[in-house]
Amino acid sequence: MTLAQARQVGPSPFVSRKAEKSEPETAPAADTVDKLFVYGSLNNDYHFQLLTGRILPSEMALLLNHRKISPANGFPFAISWQGSTIEGRVLFDITPSILEKLDDYESEGDLYFRKIAQVRMGGELHNAYVYVGNAQALQHYFERGYKERDRIEEFVHKSVNHYLEEQADRCLVVDQEKLPLKVTRELLSEEIHGLMRQYFHDAGLPPFIIKHEIEKANIPELSWVTANRKALRYADNYMTLATKFMVFNQLEERFRDEYRAHVTVSDSYYMHTISALMALKLLVDQNQQFQSALTQLGVNRFDPSFKYTDYAVAAIFIAEELYTKPRADEVADWIQSNRRVGVSPLGAELEFSNLGVRAIKATEGEDPVYDSFYYFYQFDLMRRGWKLGAHIDDHGFLTSTDVHSRGFLELAFGRYKLLGDVSKPATQDPWILAQIINLAILFIQVKPHSLHLSIEIALDAPFKPLEDPEFFLCLLLLGGDLREDQYGKLREMRIFGGEILHPDVGVCLSRLNRHHQDPDDRKWSTVVEYQFPRLKYDYDYQPLIMALKGFQLEANPYPLKDCRDCPHQDWHEELESSLMQWATFPTPISKSGLGKFLEIVEAGLDKEAAIIGPEYGRYAQRVLGRIEEQVKRRNQRISEYHVRSKKRPDRND
Amino acid sequence: MFDPRKDLIATISQHKAELIKNVCNRLQKLERSHYEAIDFERHQEREEAMLHALLKGMEEADYFTFLDYIEKIAGKRSNEGYSLDEVQNAVTVFEEELWHVLTKFVPIEPPLIDMLAICNRVFGKAKDHLARTYLKEAVETQKELDDLRKRFFIYQQEQKEIADSAHPHEAY
């Protein structure tokens, strides 16, 4: 739309009758106006810079005969309204090129109309441009819960898409509109996300950088597979997993797009957690159809005639088939009615391996399904599974795609930049965390092995010495792995089996860790990471998460590892040795120890409830009841085991 | 008068704690199966529910309650990604442990044979039902996805035509 056309735009259908009757505003020739009145998203220098690359001089001002509407689930917009005013700023030195960018952002002529209106500034009247909203057109955004940041993201995506389209034409020739772009977006989604992050971090990026980054990002290929006989043996399973991740990615993006109000979290948290949970829920609930779709399209196997792009097309089709509005609404309602936002930022890492603890030292071919994920990076699976933080953990120091090693498939929720280990907390909500753990296990379909749970701690909360070693035993009862070994002896397998027992450092039950939130290391947080939990199918992790939270908030004990200034190392060594003894020969926890543990957890959760409110308090009490029930039930099992053992003639512990 | 069904139900009920414990411990040792990675207490809850349905089903001429339970479990496990083999193995573990309990606590006399025959019949039907449910679910899902298959087929054809037009076959 030209400036002349802009002036001719009639009153919006949403302009009030009062406004319609008002006298037309004085509109001087467009070329004399170099001011813009801003009142919403644009009235923020950071946003303005993101959109135009500039910060302009400004002055406080009042827009006359307009009213600001601020929908609860959206962003503010102005409508004409005789006699009303809007507070804001006038930006000076507006140029045609700035207006062109802003018109593009505001979808001028559709979502907004750019008009010339009167503003009062320093007691004088001036003419300035203003973007007036088209409420009917904006409604579509509000229904989906779009906020200012989402619109800016959409705007940046538009410019990224411009360069992606060039790449798309090279990647796939097909007669279906938008499919090549969708495929390219899927295959380069990690790079696109990286660009978006950088765009917001640097308050804008020059177009040539976007172009360069997209051009250098490679579309994965499969031509190498047939020449690699060893990899070929496992190619069916790797490509199935790759396609599964791509279907998941498609659904996650769809949920992010359609349910902004449900999925948006504060910038301190990982932005994909809730949408990932929604996508997993939709997939796991329809797992049978999902598996059947993979089979029927032939993407549950490696086909030498297929390119990676063909697998991506299949994933897009499957996602479109599985996603229906009623199903998506059900998932959204499920999320909405169960959320329990607490105060402590939480994170989780899940390890999977068909070989269990032998994953790290596995020999070639020992794992018949994935060869212990030796070819994970070659099949480009880290880029496919980045939203879930998928990588291989060989218990080395750093994640690197250059090194081939066997290990665990690890999902690290919130670890959004795998190379460089940059992460944000996954969530503040124990219910969300528990659900995503369970659904991820069902989605991955590799034997679950271990779980690390992280709780961010306040820097001003000093660690305290642990009062009673039985408290850790209570935690082990809740989250460890109590089972009979091959000889029928009851053991706590995480410690007894040497899984969290390091020859040099001892029992790695908990450790102090630092999580970097940006690649420049300017922002980091301190977390206590509990490494003892067993990852299991069909298990509700809420009691464990809440117990750890309550325990940490109230007792705040020194982590056993990596806490350099801990003055209780000797005591920790004794404690570890008693944990090892207990894991070898578990005995029931004393009533008083159990009682004290529950009191501590309750006190911690009460602190949280005092900040959040009574509804959270009631939830915490319910979970506390389940914590008590679970610990007592397992304690009872140990007692019964000892009674039976005494009766056995061959008892030999 | 000796009623093998009633005696069977009474014997199982009397020794159910031992039966459940043994089944759970064995299921946790089923390597490379979902059952291996399930908590003991969760197994206990699941097996207690199965036993409850079994005992109720044994009171009925057509074992309806038990077979209905098996059907529901088959649908659930199939959707959770358990293979038919895995679920059938788990049912076999339950059946074997039931035999162990019976042979341990009931004298080896004709009534035991009648009891074992009932077990054999009910578990035979259950496994048959399990397989049918798995198959039925697979067939139904396949039908639902006809359009998806066609859509991908069209895409593949299109790709083939594009490839052929780019590299026309050389004449022999």
Side-chain angles (χ1 to χ4, degrees), chain B residues 24-144:
Chain B
C24 297
N25 279 327
R26 269 193 65 190
L27 289 176
Q28 279 202 316
K29 289 180 185 122
L30 281 181
E31 281 195 9
R32 290 183 186 171
S33 82
H34 286 76
Y35 296 97
E36 191 188 9
I38 292 173
D39 196 51
F40 185 88
E41 280 73 18
R42 188 73 192 99
H43 270 310
Q44 225 173 359
E45 287 163 10
R46 284 179 172 195
E47 300 317 312
E48 276 167 6
M50 169 129 157
L51 183 64
H52 179 76
L54 175 69
L55 293 175
K56 205 150 183 287
M58 278 178 168
E59 287 171 3
E60 301 156 350
D62 55 0
Y63 312 118
F64 175 79
T65 305
F66 187 53
L67 297 182
D68 184 51
Y69 173 83
I70 288 289
E71 192 173 321
K72 280 180 189 139
I73 287 297
K76 196 159 186 270
R77 300 287 172 261
S78 154
N79 194 54
E80 286 169 347
Y82 289 55
S83 69
L84 175 61
D85 270 6
E86 268 185 282
V87 187
Q88 278 184 327
N89 276 345
V91 174
T92 304
V93 165
F94 196 104
E95 187 184 7
E96 284 174 2
E97 287 305 324
L98 191 58
W99 277 56
H100 284 154
V101 164
L102 293 175
T103 50
K104 186 173 167 187
F105 295 106
V106 180
I108 306 177
E109 286 168 14
L112 174 64
I113 295 164
D114 289 341
M115 286 184 187
L116 294 179
I118 294 172
C119 289
N120 202 22
R121 214 161 34 239
V122 73
F123 278 95
K125 276 183 182 280
K127 283 181 205 167
D128 183 46
H129 214 62
L130 196 62
R132 278 170 194 269
T133 311
Y134 256 74
L135 193 67
K136 199 175 101 191
E137 300 255 344
V139 171
E140 277 172 10
T141 317
Q142 205 169 334
K143 270 189 210 158
E144 287 168 16

Side-chain angles (χ1 to χ4, degrees), chain A residues 175 287-288 296 310 445, chain B residues 78-80 149 155 158-159:
Chain A
D175 199 21
N287 189 38
Q288 199 143 31
Q296 289 189 47
D310 297 325
Q445 287 292 335
Chain B
S78 154
N79 194 54
E80 286 169 347
R149 206 172 41 237
Y155 159 79
E158 203 179 307
Q159 287 300 293

Side-chain angles (χ1 to χ4, degrees), chain A residues 239-240 243 293-295 297-301 306 310-311 314 318, chain B residues 152:
Chain A
M239 285 321 294
T240 306
T243 313
L294 294 170
T295 310
L297 302 198
V299 287
N300 63 338
R301 59 193 166 82
F306 277 19
D310 297 325
Y311 286 94
I318 293 172
Chain B
F152 193 59

Side-chain angles (χ1 to χ4, degrees), chain A residues 381-395:
Chain A
L381 278 162
M382 194 164 90
R383 280 164 89 206
R384 302 285 74 78
W386 70 271
K387 284 181 188 169
L388 292 172
H391 63 283
I392 300 310
D393 186 357
D394 59 0
H395 289 185

Side-chain angles (χ1 to χ4, degrees), chain A residues 339-403:
Chain A
R339 290 213 58 185
R340 304 282 177 213
V341 179
V343 289
S344 308
L346 303 164
E349 292 174 3
L350 287 65
E351 285 185 337
F352 299 86
S353 165
N354 291 320
L355 302 179
V357 70
R358 300 192 309 281
I360 303 293
K361 289 178 182 165
T363 51
E364 187 182 315
E366 197 179 343
D367 168 10
V369 186
Y370 292 106
D371 195 11
S372 299
F373 302 102
Y374 191 74
Y375 302 100
F376 191 82
Y377 299 128
Q378 265 179 284
F379 280 95
D380 205 38
L381 278 162
M382 194 164 90
R383 280 164 89 206
R384 302 285 74 78
W386 70 271
K387 284 181 188 169
L388 292 172
H391 63 283
I392 300 310
D393 186 357
D394 59 0
H395 289 185
F397 186 62
L398 283 173
T399 305
S400 167
T401 52
D402 301 331
V403 180

Side-chain angles (χ1 to χ4, degrees), chain A residues 186-200:
Chain A
E186 172 57 50
L187 294 174
L188 302 184
S189 70
E190 195 197 4
E191 285 82 358
I192 296 167
H193 186 260
L195 276 172
M196 295 294 286
R197 211 170 42 236
Q198 208 183 334
Y199 198 102
F200 281 95

Side-chain angles (χ1 to χ4, degrees), chain A residues 37 66 157 176 221 277 346 426 568 572:
Chain A
F37 178 83
H66 284 80
H157 267 301
Q176 295 182 42
E221 288 199 14
L277 173 62
L346 303 164
H568 306 283
H572 280 179

Side-chain angles (χ1 to χ4, degrees), chain A residues 424-586:
Chain A
K424 284 186 178 183
T427 182
Q428 264 175 308
D429 185 328
W431 180 83
I432 293 277
L433 192 64
Q435 298 307 320
I436 200 169
I437 291 170
N438 266 327
L439 292 170
I441 297 170
L442 288 169
F443 171 73
I444 291 291
Q445 287 292 335
V446 178
K447 188 185 160 193
H449 177 70
S450 69
L451 170 68
H452 294 185
L453 287 168
S454 303
I455 302 170
E456 192 175 309
I457 49 163
L459 288 173
D460 57 353
F463 288 123
K464 295 180 243 177
L466 185 76
E467 282 175 42
D468 187 340
E470 280 203 313
F471 297 161
F472 273 163
L473 299 184
C474 290
L475 291 175
L476 273 171
L477 277 190
L478 272 174
D481 186 11
L482 205 62
R483 66 169 67 209
E484 290 190 2
D485 68 8
Q486 54 185 325
Y487 306 108
K489 309 283 183 210
L490 191 66
R491 314 284 191 196
E492 195 297 303
M493 296 307 274
R494 290 286 284 151
I495 298 177
F496 178 77
E499 296 176 20
I500 52 168
L501 201 58
H502 193 280
D504 300 327
V505 294
V507 182
C508 301
L509 195 95
S510 62
R511 65 187 273 245
L512 188 65
N513 206 351
R514 182 188 268 202
H515 282 184
H516 306 270
Q517 291 204 8
D518 71 45
D520 307 336
D521 202 21
R522 283 184 300 203
K523 198 175 170 194
W524 49 268
S525 52
T526 306
V527 301
V528 175
E529 186 178 318
Y530 285 94
Q531 300 181 308
F532 66 87
R534 167 70 78 213
L535 194 62
K536 307 165 191 177
Y537 282 115
D538 200 6
Y539 190 72
D540 181 6
Y541 281 97
Q542 274 179 98
L544 175 65
I545 296 165
M546 292 292 271
L548 287 173
K549 233 164 47 135
F551 184 61
Q552 201 63 50
L553 285 169
E554 180 62 17
N556 201 26
Y558 278 101
L560 294 190
K561 300 294 163 207
D562 298 332
C563 192
R564 279 182 209 152
D565 55 350
C566 172
H568 306 283
Q569 284 303 342
D570 292 345
W571 158 231
H572 280 179
E573 278 171 30
E574 272 179 49
L575 177 69
E576 286 173 28
S577 129
S578 71
L579 287 173
M580 276 152 48
Q581 277 177 9
W582 186 84
T584 311
F585 187 64

